[in-house]
Amino acid sequence: MRRVKWRAVWLVCWAAFLIADLIFDLRARLSALVVDTEKGAPGLFHSRLQTILLVVFVAVALSPLLWPLARRWFLKAKPKEGPEAEAKPPPIERDPRDASLAEALGYLVDRSAWGAARKDAEPEDARLREAAALIEEAARRGRLDIRGVPPGGSARRSITADHWLAAGIDLG
């Protein structure tokens, strides 16, 4: 979506108003529209002219602000039809510094110095269980912040260290 430069729009609106005033002599035309009121009450003519000019001034000044509202009101998006119309939950936002549990375990087992030292001595499933135990212990002591999405939620929240006293990682 492109960002609108409102100062430029505002300047263009004012320039268009001034050019239209020069070309079409708007003030004289506005005066002609209310000239018949001058005969009955001369003060009424000037107050109406000032009111009309004020309305035009306000309309030009507010046009950049009202344009997005008018677009939203008159150019409403049509509702989607078919399978895409079903409500989808908002996507879970992920911080690029975060790693999933599977990524963290894979790193510990395959690419870390800890995993490399045990690569020849232990089978992979034993290293995986030991890595999961290390992560659980760090979470219990509060040295590792593990976040998860609660049931029905859409944002990750920190899992407290107390939770890890009774919970663990299921390698299934």
Side-chain angles (χ1 to χ4, degrees):
M1 184 174 201
R2 291 178 42 187
R3 188 169 173 90
V4 175
K5 296 182 180 180
W6 290 111
R7 287 184 183 166
V9 171
W10 187 79
L11 288 173
V12 167
C13 287
W14 273 109
F17 176 72
L18 293 174
I19 291 170
D21 183 38
L22 288 173
I23 294 173
F24 300 113
D25 200 18
L26 291 178
R27 285 175 284 171
R29 289 179 185 252
L30 290 172
S31 297
L33 289 175
V34 291
V35 76
D36 60 334
T37 59
E38 186 178 349
K39 295 174 188 167
L44 186 61
F45 166 75
H46 293 292
S47 67
R48 283 192 181 175
L49 181 61
Q50 288 173 351
T51 304
I52 290 173
L53 288 176
L54 181 64
V55 168
V56 170
F57 172 81
V58 169
V60 169
L62 293 179
S63 62
L65 302 174
L66 297 177
W67 175 247
L69 291 175
R71 237 180 40 199
R72 210 174 300 149
W73 289 336
F74 297 117
L75 302 176
K76 290 182 180 178
K78 295 179 183 177
K80 292 181 180 178
E81 296 177 5
E84 295 176 0
E86 296 175 12
K88 295 180 182 177
I92 298 172
E93 294 184 17
R94 181 176 176 189
D95 188 341
R97 297 172 293 180
D98 287 346
S100 70
L101 182 60
E103 292 168 340
L105 287 171
Y107 174 80
L108 281 174
V109 171
D110 296 329
R111 295 178 296 205
S112 71
W114 176 87
R118 289 168 174 73
K119 196 167 204 159
D120 296 330
E122 299 175 5
E124 186 175 353
D125 61 333
R127 286 188 316 229
L128 190 61
R129 283 192 304 274
E130 195 174 341
L134 283 173
I135 289 175
E136 288 174 7
E137 185 61 29
R140 282 186 195 104
R141 293 183 181 193
R143 289 188 280 155
L144 181 63
D145 181 35
I146 298 180
R147 292 182 286 148
V149 179
S154 63
R156 296 180 194 268
R157 294 192 179 136
S158 240
I159 301 172
T160 63
D162 294 338
H163 174 80
W164 291 102
L165 294 173
I169 297 172
D170 182 19
L171 296 174

